[in-house]
Amino acid sequence: MALLTFPSSPFHLFSPRPIPRRPSFVCSFSASTNARSRSAILWFKHDLRLHDHPGLAAATQTHRFLLPLYVFDHRILSRYSDDMLELLLFALEDLRNSLKEQGSNLMVRFGSAENIIKELVKEVKATDLFIEEEVEYEMHQLIAVVKETLETSSSLYGNLDIVLWRTPFYDIKNLKELPASYNDFKKLKLLPTSPPLPATLPVAETELNWGPLPTFSDLRDLIKERIGKSRVSWNLMKEKPAEAILKDNFSKLSGTKPKSLNVESNERRRLDKSVFVTRKGDIVGGGTNSVLNALAAYLRYLEGTARDDWQEVHERLRNAETREGASFTSLFGPALSLGIISRRTIHYEAIKYEKERNAGFLSPFGYSAATVAAAADAVCSMEWFSLLALKSQLSNEGLYSLRIWKWRGHLIQYTVVGHEGPAILLVHGFGAFLEHYRDNINGIAERGNRVWAITLLGFGKSEKPNVVYTELLWAELLRDFIIEVVGEPVHPVGNSIGGYFVSIVVGLWPALVKSVILLNSAGNVIPGFSSRRFSNERQTIAAAGLVAQLLLFYLRLNIRNTIKSFYPTKTDRADNWLINEMLRASYDPGVIVVLESIFTFDLSIPLNYLLEGYGDRVLVLQGMKDPLLDSKAKLAMLKEHCTGLVIKEVDAGHCPHNEQPQEVNRIICEWIAAVERKLTANSYT
């Protein structure tokens, strides 16, 4: 396997974690006659473009024949929403047309990528396979499977080199030296690199069977067939938003008809040159040129326009601007996720426009247009978290390996320990991360359990996009994680606000949960709760951003004393590592947006409503010295209004799992073992 670099270019490409290789998997490219006689396959996955495509540039420079390939593999497609599947088909159609314009084509195949690539390598006598490196764990594993299949095939034509490539945003020569803090990273003053000129492709062989693109309905049927009925039913749970479920439930209680959510009709009028190609019409799509056109319209929002297609972009921008700058990720995030356009190209176009507005200069005081700021800041933030993810995969140091899951285009960090036993999901509280369970993950797994721990969106080293953070958003993230990553019902464990998120999952998607453990959970108990109390309107305070900045400044100054106050019996558990990691995360881009959510949290749906009917499958594990609330009063309310739940008191503060890990581990393991015995017994009755 080879790592692709361009010695003569101003940028470098690197791999986060080289896949172990045999000696034969080594290559170096040159423009020699021998190199030009080679044949290559380029496997498109999340890089559906010709512009700013380093892998394509290298392959065309050094190979006589190039086979562009897309494989409809259910392991990739099954996690896509309907919108993403639609976007994918439009992008592939444009990609194929663009390749044809250069005398090439896009080969389309259906099935397992490793088997298809193996057969094509033999058919075209390929000597090189170009693959974009991935940070997501499942995709990284798929690449490893492809490599292993090719290595173990004795019928391949000679030696095959696997070339991993990546589109570099910054000129970073050694990823291991990447600063841990974004604050320190900014001090390096690295400038984003510029996209290279488009590559010229070799002419394709016309006698090959290039294969047809499927229709949307055919693609959905294919996915359903491959993943099975049980997985299909689970995936259906992802289609209905939490808010819609709550509206339906409350309408049944009150006997009224629920109002439909604010979703545009699928029968909307489509403009001839519309860049909103999906049925919902709320995300930018098509090919690279279509996305570039939408970006030009987006950046020039303040200028106004007479063009219908640009006016449509401006209208969608206004609809998607749920908070300042959030419209960019909402509109362009899916196209970036599929690689229809690169982050580097977005940044290049934004800065080019900014210079046009300012006679060729960039102001040191910020951007002159909010849309430029939204685009440039978003892609720089995405790149930072991508670099953190890549660096985390360079080694397996620590008590457990860290993995990356991509949720709605955002990078989420998690870990899993254990090979057998019940599935347990650990969910942290506000401002924390999966390592807050550092002494619980292995301790619980060693007692015959499989333990997943996740760092929620907006915290730790998970991405912090510019979105509106709500308790329902985080609950949907947990729902999708259970469905996509764990793949079976779990025993979720939630601390603080994480306990409230877990309770929402229990209340809205009970099929995903076997039992629930709440550690000093947030959330109220409201006797005689009525749906009339619920409102989906977010009440925000004026100047929430400024207040969040002041709060962040205060927390940084007082973090040590604040955290130690949460550990009244063992203050030493609030050690330097924990505090330094919280400080590190506080400098990440997007942290202010996350802090603003404190002022919009809606805890009006009480625990007694969410946990109703779960009864003896709820364990409340309460630190009795919690400085944030009256533990005795809360337990009394839970006992009175939540029938059947079990309560265990612990001599600890707000984070009993980290303050008294051995005791908490024992209680959790005993609880889960008892629940599993009961569930097994019930399955035989």
Side-chain angles (χ1 to χ4, degrees):
M1 183 189 71
L3 181 64
L4 182 58
T5 60
F6 293 90
S8 60
S9 69
F11 54 88
H12 302 264
L13 301 172
F14 47 84
S15 162
R17 181 172 17 172
I19 302 171
R21 60 182 181 175
R22 298 189 307 182
S24 62
F25 276 68
V26 180
C27 77
S28 60
F29 293 112
S30 66
S32 65
T33 303
N34 182 50
R36 286 293 298 174
S37 68
R38 302 165 71 100
S39 298
I41 296 174
L42 192 148
W43 177 22
F44 284 101
K45 303 187 308 302
H46 299 118
D47 51 323
L48 307 182
R49 63 184 185 274
L50 302 185
H51 180 72
D52 194 16
H53 196 297
L56 184 65
T60 56
Q61 179 186 358
T62 56
H63 293 78
R64 170 189 56 81
F65 171 77
L66 174 65
L67 178 69
L69 170 69
Y70 186 85
V71 181
F72 284 93
D73 189 316
H74 72 278
R75 291 168 294 185
I76 299 175
L77 303 174
S78 61
R79 297 183 181 184
Y80 288 176
S81 65
D82 283 354
D83 284 347
M84 288 295 284
L85 289 176
E86 286 187 85
L87 208 64
L88 171 67
L89 291 175
F90 280 106
L92 289 174
E93 181 182 15
D94 183 87
L95 180 61
R96 169 169 273 184
N97 291 336
S98 298
L99 286 165
K100 285 182 176 180
E101 289 174 2
Q102 296 201 38
S104 184
N105 206 331
L106 177 67
M107 180 163 284
V108 174
R109 291 292 185 266
F110 301 83
S112 299
E114 62 272 20
N115 295 328
I116 288 169
I117 291 174
K118 181 181 72 172
E119 294 304 315
L120 287 175
V121 166
K122 290 190 292 184
E123 181 178 350
V124 302
K125 297 180 173 57
T127 55
D128 300 289
L129 173 63
F130 286 79
I131 308 174
E132 183 185 25
E133 181 62 284
E134 301 269 3
V135 297
E136 189 177 11
Y137 175 77
E138 294 298 333
M139 289 302 304
H140 195 75
Q141 291 299 102
L142 179 57
I143 293 173
V145 170
V146 169
K147 176 191 172 292
E148 182 180 2
T149 301
L150 296 174
E151 281 188 332
T152 55
S153 176
S154 59
S155 59
L156 294 183
Y157 175 76
N159 291 331
L160 178 73
D161 294 326
I162 295 181
V163 184
L164 298 177
W165 64 272
R166 183 173 181 268
T167 303
F169 195 89
Y170 300 106
D171 181 8
I172 297 178
K173 296 177 174 61
N174 186 354
L175 193 59
K176 291 183 178 180
E177 296 178 0
L178 181 77
S181 167
Y182 188 68
N183 194 44
D184 293 333
F185 177 73
K186 289 191 297 183
K187 294 176 183 178
L188 299 178
K189 297 182 178 180
L190 298 177
L191 296 177
T193 57
S194 299
L197 294 174
T200 301
L201 276 65
V203 177
E205 298 180 14
T206 56
E207 63 269 19
L208 291 171
N209 177 15
W210 293 98
L213 284 170
T215 64
F216 175 69
S217 59
D218 289 342
L219 189 54
R220 289 198 68 181
D221 291 342
L222 171 69
I223 295 171
K224 290 179 181 179
E225 178 185 342
R226 295 294 174 87
I227 68 177
K229 291 183 179 180
S230 60
R231 182 68 182 271
V232 169
S233 63
W234 266 48
N235 283 349
L236 287 174
M237 282 188 271
K238 298 191 299 181
E239 294 184 1
K240 193 168 187 179
E243 182 182 329
I245 297 175
L246 284 170
K247 284 180 177 292
D248 287 349
N249 292 347
F250 291 153
S251 296
K252 291 175 183 177
L253 289 176
S254 60
T256 60
K257 185 177 180 180
K259 295 181 180 180
S260 60
L261 293 176
N262 184 25
V263 178
E264 293 189 52
S265 169
N266 290 344
E267 303 299 324
R268 69 183 182 87
R269 181 177 65 91
R270 194 185 306 279
L271 299 174
D272 289 339
K273 296 182 180 179
S274 176
V275 297
F276 299 95
V277 294
T278 64
R279 289 173 299 171
K280 287 184 179 179
D282 56 359
I283 54 177
V284 170
T288 302
N289 289 335
S290 175
V291 176
L292 281 171
N293 177 49
L295 179 63
Y298 181 89
L299 294 173
R300 291 161 177 79
Y301 175 72
L302 293 179
E303 296 181 9
T305 180
R307 292 177 52 173
D308 289 345
D309 57 336
W310 281 26
Q311 287 179 0
E312 186 183 30
V313 173
H314 294 171
E315 179 187 354
R316 296 295 188 276
L317 184 160
R318 290 188 290 270
N319 294 339
E321 194 75 352
T322 51
R323 54 159 284 106
E324 184 178 354
S327 58
F328 177 81
T329 299
S330 177
L331 297 179
F332 292 90
L336 279 162
S337 185
L338 288 177
I340 301 172
I341 192 170
S342 68
R343 293 193 289 266
R344 182 165 64 174
T345 297
I346 292 282
H347 190 273
Y348 176 81
E349 294 295 329
I351 297 305
K352 184 175 72 172
Y353 173 64
E354 177 71 9
K355 289 181 178 179
E356 290 175 5
R357 286 175 55 87
N358 296 283
F361 294 99
L362 291 177
S363 170
F365 304 107
Y367 299 113
S368 61
T371 50
V372 173
D377 291 348
V379 293
C380 286
S381 176
M382 291 175 189
E383 183 66 16
W384 166 248
F385 289 106
S386 179
L387 291 173
L388 282 182
L390 288 166
K391 184 179 180 181
S392 72
Q393 295 177 358
L394 282 173
S395 66
N396 286 321
E397 297 178 0
L399 297 175
Y400 31 79
S401 62
L402 297 175
R403 299 179 179 181
I404 299 296
W405 169 56
K406 186 176 285 189
W407 183 68
R408 299 182 182 178
H410 308 304
L411 303 180
I412 306 297
Q413 194 177 67
Y414 74 98
T415 191
V416 57
V417 177
H419 302 287
E420 58 183 7
I424 301 168
L425 174 59
L426 306 180
V427 183
H428 61 80
F430 199 92
F433 28 79
L434 69 85
E435 291 90 349
H436 202 206
Y437 288 100
R438 53 189 166 167
D439 291 324
N440 309 105
I441 295 172
N442 284 315
I444 296 174
E446 288 168 357
R447 300 193 184 197
N449 301 293
R450 288 170 298 144
V451 180
W452 279 262
I454 185 173
T455 297
L456 297 172
L457 187 75
F459 301 106
K461 292 181 180 177
S462 287
E463 203 163 335
K464 300 172 178 64
N466 187 356
V467 299
V468 176
Y469 292 88
T470 70
E471 65 289 341
L472 298 183
L473 176 81
W474 278 306
E476 289 175 350
L477 182 148
L478 292 177
R479 173 201 64 192
D480 294 352
F481 185 82
I482 296 170
I483 292 171
E484 294 184 10
V485 180
V486 182
E488 64 181 272
V490 301
H491 299 271
V493 180
N495 173 233
S496 190
I497 194 66
Y500 190 68
F501 302 156
V502 162
S503 298
I504 295 175
V505 174
V506 173
L508 303 189
W509 305 284
L512 302 179
V513 178
K514 288 184 172 181
S515 77
V516 59
I517 299 100
L518 303 180
L519 307 174
N520 288 62
S521 176
N524 304 312
V525 175
I526 303 177
F529 172 75
S530 168
S531 62
R532 290 190 298 273
R533 296 175 181 267
F534 173 73
S535 172
N536 63 342
E537 295 181 2
R538 298 287 159 173
Q539 300 296 324
T540 59
I541 65 171
L546 176 60
V547 176
Q549 289 181 11
L550 294 174
L551 177 60
L552 180 62
F553 179 74
Y554 171 82
L555 291 174
R556 284 174 180 164
L557 288 178
N558 298 276
I559 187 169
R560 189 172 299 275
N561 291 334
T562 301
I563 299 302
K564 283 186 176 295
S565 70
F566 292 172
Y567 296 79
T569 63
K570 291 186 178 180
T571 57
D572 60 305
R573 293 294 296 170
D575 55 20
N576 288 335
W577 182 89
L578 180 65
I579 291 170
N580 289 338
E581 185 55 28
M582 288 183 171
L583 276 174
R584 186 216 63 77
S586 75
Y587 288 98
D588 278 342
V591 71
I592 292 295
V593 180
V594 183
L595 270 178
E596 286 182 28
S597 67
I598 293 176
F599 309 116
T600 59
F601 273 147
D602 184 359
L603 305 184
S604 63
I605 307 174
L607 293 174
N608 51 304
Y609 172 82
L610 294 171
L611 302 176
E612 186 178 3
Y614 244 70
D616 59 356
R617 286 192 287 163
V618 178
L619 170 64
V620 175
L621 206 158
Q622 188 75 19
M624 298 305 293
K625 296 179 179 178
D626 191 335
L628 299 182
L629 54 84
D630 185 339
S631 291
K632 290 184 177 180
K634 181 158 190 175
L635 291 182
M637 290 291 287
L638 286 169
K639 286 180 182 178
E640 182 177 355
H641 299 284
C642 298
T643 306
L645 60 75
V646 177
I647 294 175
K648 298 288 185 180
E649 298 181 3
V650 180
D651 185 23
H654 189 63
C655 310
H657 59 288
N658 194 31
E659 191 171 5
Q660 303 284 1
Q662 287 76 25
E663 182 180 358
V664 169
N665 291 348
R666 175 185 59 79
I667 295 172
I668 289 175
C669 290
E670 291 175 354
W671 165 263
I672 291 174
V675 171
E676 288 289 329
R677 287 194 298 269
K678 185 179 297 184
L679 292 174
T680 301
N682 291 340
S683 66
Y684 289 109
T685 59

